[in-house]
Amino acid sequence: THKTQETGDRLARHVLASSGYLELGMFDDAAMVLEEIAPEDKNRNEVLGARVVLYMAAKKYAAAGLVSS
């Protein structure tokens, strides 16, 4: 349970940081923060959602469609 809380906190920080970069128009930095997430966590809903938002903002609609499906 403690480890689960740490994982959730870490993911939340990465998703929040990505969102902040996105608001500043720093798409590469937003993507880099999401890439730093551990491979076993990259398919979690909050991470996939952040990736879709990033791709939509960057007008990479095909990539957004792949991630969301």
Side-chain angles (χ1 to χ4, degrees), residues 24 29 49-51 53:
L24 296 171
D29 294 290
R51 195 169 292 284
V53 170

Side-chain angles (χ1 to χ4, degrees), residues 14-29:
H14 278 84
V15 169
L16 183 62
S18 177
S19 176
Y21 283 127
L22 194 58
E23 287 181 22
L24 296 171
M26 301 169 69
F27 302 128
D28 291 340
D29 294 290

Side-chain angles (χ1 to χ4, degrees), residues 10-11 14 17 21 29-39 41-42 51:
R10 191 170 357 101
L11 285 176
H14 278 84
Y21 283 127
D29 294 290
M32 190 180 321
V33 169
L34 294 177
E35 286 302 314
E36 292 173 356
I37 293 173
D41 293 325
K42 287 187 179 182
R51 195 169 292 284

